[in-house]
């Protein structure tokens, strides 16, 4: 009976080393470090699209009736309601029909109606003696005397139906004047940039009647009639005064 405890102690002594040596192996197999996944690589940020420069403003095209200074006003048309001006022969721009324009960029297109000038007589027309053929030549000049262009109108008169219009304010029948525009020619020409005023002057008038032919060139004689002026141009940009520029600079915020 005394030998049994000794045998048990010996058996335990033999088993104990095996357990102590196996424990580290068990720890090694159960204490592995957890693996971590790498985050996905970030894509580079997309570059913003380059800004397109703003389109330049579209030039403003203006069509208007220019300011007219007419030394010899023939009168208002009964049918057309237009104002008619006599064109006088002269070589001095200040003596002509003055046309003033607004500031314009590039050339300006000037247009107007050119008519011949007829003195109507019911008696002569009824008698078959009223025929007349007119050829009037006028010029458009700058105020320093440079010729920009000429206009010519040619027409024939046989009866009252050949009159373009009658002029109100006369002492004749129906309150119209004897002088009336006849025929029509639309005159169109360019006015250069920087020219803001021109003059319309008469140059010569050729008249053929049953009595013969005549050429008129003497100064200060009415040889034609004009009406219905129009100007088409691109408006010039507004000029900025130095005072306004200084004011904007003074108000500009300072960078910090």
């Amino acid at each position: 009976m005394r030998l049994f405890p000794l045998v048990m102690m010996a058996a335990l002594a033999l088993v104990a080393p095996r357990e102590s040596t196996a424990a580290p192996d068990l720890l090694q197999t159960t204490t592995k470090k957890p693996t971590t996944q790498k985050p996905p690589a970030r894509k580079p940020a997309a570059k913003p699209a380059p800004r397109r420069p703003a389109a330049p403003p579209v030039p403003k095209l203006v069509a208007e009736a220019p300011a007219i200074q007419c030394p010899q006003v023939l009168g208002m048309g009964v049918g057309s309601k237009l104002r008619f001006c006599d064109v006088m022969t002269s070589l001095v721009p200040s003596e002509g029909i003055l046309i003033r324009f607004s500031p314009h960029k590039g050339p300006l297109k000037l247009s107007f109606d050119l008519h011949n000038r007829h003195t109507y007589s019911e008696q002569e027309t009824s008698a078959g003696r009223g025929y007349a053929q007119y050829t009037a030549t006028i010029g458009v000049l700058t105020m320093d005397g440079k010729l920009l262009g000429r206009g010519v109108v040619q027409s024939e008169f046989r009866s009252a139906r050949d009159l373009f219009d009658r002029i109100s304010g006369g002492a004749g029948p129906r309150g119209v004047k004897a002088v009336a525009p006849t025929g029509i020619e639309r005159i169109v020409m360019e006015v250069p940039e920087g020219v803001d005023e021109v003059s319309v002057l008469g140059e010569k008038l050729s008249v053929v009647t049953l009595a013969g032919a005549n050429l008129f060139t003497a100064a200060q004689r009415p040889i034609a009639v004009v009406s219905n002026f129009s100007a088409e141009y691109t408006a010039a940009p507004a000029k900025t005064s130095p005072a306004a520029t200084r004011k904007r600079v003074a108000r500009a915020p300072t960078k910090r």
Side-chain angles (χ1 to χ4, degrees):
M1 295 298 291
R2 291 180 179 177
L3 292 174
F4 180 76
L6 294 174
V7 173
M8 291 296 294
M9 292 177 64
L12 291 172
L14 292 174
V15 174
R18 291 180 182 178
E19 292 179 354
S20 62
T21 56
D25 294 337
L26 181 61
L27 291 174
Q28 288 179 1
T29 57
T30 58
T31 58
K32 290 183 178 180
K33 294 182 179 180
T35 58
T36 57
Q37 294 182 352
K38 293 183 179 180
R42 293 183 179 180
K43 295 181 179 180
K47 294 182 179 180
R51 292 184 178 181
R52 294 182 178 180
V58 179
K60 183 180 179 182
L61 185 64
V62 180
E64 63 182 9
I68 306 295
Q69 182 178 332
C70 179
Q72 297 291 332
V73 179
L74 179 58
M76 297 295 296
V78 174
S80 65
K81 306 301 180 183
L82 295 172
R83 187 178 75 154
F84 293 88
C85 293
D86 282 330
V87 182
M88 311 296 290
T89 51
S90 177
L91 298 175
V92 182
S94 60
E95 295 178 352
I97 299 171
L98 303 183
I99 310 170
R100 296 185 177 90
F101 311 110
S102 301
H104 54 96
K105 182 179 180 181
L108 175 147
K109 185 172 76 172
L110 170 66
S111 58
F112 56 90
D113 292 337
L114 179 62
H115 313 271
N116 279 306
R117 192 177 188 274
H118 178 75
T119 302
Y120 178 73
S121 169
E122 182 70 33
Q123 182 179 357
E124 292 292 310
T125 303
S126 299
R129 298 189 297 269
Y131 173 82
Q133 182 191 72
Y134 301 96
T135 305
T137 304
I138 59 96
V140 177
L141 291 81
T142 62
M143 299 311 294
D144 58 1
K146 180 181 178 181
L147 179 66
L148 297 179
R150 288 185 172 90
V152 178
V153 58
Q154 186 177 65
S155 62
E156 292 183 337
F157 175 84
R158 289 182 172 85
S159 68
R161 291 177 297 181
D162 295 322
L163 297 177
F164 178 79
D165 203 349
R166 300 305 302 268
I167 306 300
S168 62
R174 296 181 297 167
V176 295
K177 294 182 178 181
V179 177
T182 181
I184 181 173
E185 187 72 32
R186 189 68 178 172
I187 306 300
V188 180
M189 61 183 60
E190 284 191 351
V191 178
E193 181 177 356
V195 177
D196 297 332
E197 185 176 13
V198 296
S199 176
V200 179
L201 295 168
E203 187 173 310
K204 60 184 177 180
L205 170 65
S206 172
V207 181
V208 178
T209 64
L210 297 179
N214 291 282
L215 180 65
F216 301 96
T217 59
Q220 295 302 310
R221 178 186 179 91
I223 65 165
V225 180
V226 290
S227 67
N228 196 21
F229 285 87
S230 176
E232 296 182 15
Y233 60 93
T234 300
K239 294 182 179 180
T240 305
S241 63
T245 304
R246 289 195 298 269
K247 193 173 183 180
R248 285 201 302 268
V249 172
R251 290 183 178 179
T254 57
K255 294 182 179 180
R256 294 183 179 180

